[in-house]
Amino acid sequence: TVQPVKTPKTAPTGEQPTGSVGTEFVIPSPTNVDPKQPVRIEFQITAPTHDTKATITFEIVNFRQEVPLKKGQTVTITLNIPAGKLSMEKNIPPVIITSAEPIQVVAVLHIGDYAQTIEVPSSTQTGVEYYVVTPTGKSPHDDKEIFIVNYGNTNDVVVRPTAEVVFKGTKYPAGSKINIPFAPFKVYYIQSKGDLTGTKVVGKNPFAVFSGYSSPQGVTLYYRISTPLVPTSRWGTTYLIPSMAFPGSSDTVYVTTFQSTEVDYQVGDNKKSEKMKPGQVMKIAIPEAKTLSIKATHPIMVVYYHTGGKKGDKTYEPNIININDNTKYAKRYRITGNPNLEKNAVLLIIKPSDRKS
């Protein structure tokens, strides 16, 4: 994962304190796991600006560990979860990571032979209003999911689903109103067989929302594709998105509004304009080797769905990626790679006027 470097008190011009940097992180536990599958989670913890100490807590396995960190150091902590433990427990508590000074956290979830890198937002990246995106999925039987993650305060959250959902064993129809009271550091899981794109989630205090889809129960090969969503308070109006589609395929970009907005966009040489209503979600196909530019009259959320595919003899899983608006660009970045991957890659987006530098 790549995040702009957090600004110290004497920061050079161009650095910005954006990205998942903070002192409090809450990571939902995986669900619907085959009881025969071993589970482990790797946490890559980085101290970008100060020496500090991080504390990791996971109640379900009575795990608590303090991790000292030097400035600029990245430490990987592996948490093994006994096979069947997650499927036996109800209301599984999350993993909680806290620190005295700002840190960055990346989680890598391993279930059997499956692995997924999870972007982890800190409490400073949360908000009180979200709109959900759940891509089509790998199979029509996939479970569409919403994880609502509360932090250190009590909370009251309202969900208005766009499809029938199951919450705590009860079915709620599309368009219903689900009121959920939260204790501190509580996570609730909402599931559906329908498309939950456009679902509105609002709370009294800041919280986080993850959305996506996972394999249905009973499949041999487990998978989960999800991402933390961006609250409406952090949306932008101008975006530039290069295609990451494999040869012969196209990916999908989801554009969401929370107020009446005119959106101008261009894919390659093809220009279009769309007048969007509050809460509307527009899908834009982006073929290989093309670039999508978007400019909106009001803030929008842009989510990139990489559909995966084959390259040579290797198969790549789908992925959901939040796209930053142009105001969040920076001149200095700190890159945290995964040493267990065969290859780590960085995609640079550069303004034409800045190419010489």
Side-chain angles (χ1 to χ4, degrees), residues 252-304:
T252 302
V253 170
Y254 290 79
V255 178
T256 305
T257 62
F258 71 89
Q259 57 186 308
S260 295
T261 303
E262 186 168 348
V263 178
D264 297 320
Y265 63 97
Q266 180 174 347
V267 182
D269 297 326
N270 188 14
K271 297 180 179 180
K272 290 188 177 181
S273 184
E274 184 80 17
K275 292 183 178 179
M276 299 180 66
K277 299 177 181 178
Q280 182 180 344
V281 181
M282 174 174 60
K283 294 194 292 185
I284 304 173
I286 177 169
E288 60 167 313
K290 298 291 185 180
T291 297
L292 167 64
S293 61
I294 303 176
K295 190 172 182 60
T297 55
H298 297 289
I300 56 175
M301 179 177 69
V302 177
V303 175
Y304 189 106

Side-chain angles (χ1 to χ4, degrees), residues 331 349-357:
K331 292 184 177 180
I349 302 174
I350 305 171
K351 296 178 184 178
S353 60
D354 294 338
R355 284 179 181 173
K356 291 183 179 180
S357 59

Side-chain angles (χ1 to χ4, degrees), residues 8-30:
K9 291 182 179 180
T10 57
T13 302
E15 292 187 357
Q16 298 187 49
T18 55
S20 297
V21 179
T23 59
E24 188 176 70
F25 300 80
V26 181
I27 303 99
S29 303

Side-chain angles (χ1 to χ4, degrees), residues 132-276:
V132 170
V133 170
T134 54
T136 304
K138 296 176 63 175
S139 159
H141 305 294
D142 285 342
D143 294 316
K144 305 302 190 295
E145 301 175 325
I146 302 173
F147 287 89
I148 305 174
V149 180
N150 196 37
Y151 286 73
N153 298 311
T154 58
N155 213 342
D156 291 294
V157 173
V158 175
V159 181
R160 295 186 179 274
T162 54
E164 181 182 81
V165 300
V166 176
F167 172 61
K168 296 176 70 173
T170 301
K171 291 184 178 181
Y172 294 85
S176 59
K177 180 180 178 182
I178 308 174
N179 296 286
I180 309 174
F182 275 83
F185 300 110
K186 187 71 175 179
V187 175
Y188 280 121
Y189 168 68
I190 296 176
Q191 186 182 62
S192 177
K193 290 296 183 182
D195 186 3
L196 294 175
T197 296
T199 294
K200 186 176 181 180
V201 188
V202 179
K204 288 186 177 180
N205 293 310
F207 61 102
V209 175
F210 290 72
S211 73
Y213 63 86
S214 67
S215 54
Q217 288 185 339
V219 299
T220 303
L221 298 175
Y222 176 92
Y223 54 85
R224 163 168 277 114
I225 313 298
S226 66
T227 191
L229 297 172
V230 179
T232 57
S233 59
R234 295 181 53 234
W235 293 5
T237 58
T238 306
Y239 295 82
L240 186 65
I241 308 108
S243 175
M244 290 174 267
F246 288 132
S249 65
S250 64
D251 290 339
T252 302
V253 170
Y254 290 79
V255 178
T256 305
T257 62
F258 71 89
Q259 57 186 308
S260 295
T261 303
E262 186 168 348
V263 178
D264 297 320
Y265 63 97
Q266 180 174 347
V267 182
D269 297 326
N270 188 14
K271 297 180 179 180
K272 290 188 177 181
S273 184
E274 184 80 17
K275 292 183 178 179
M276 299 180 66

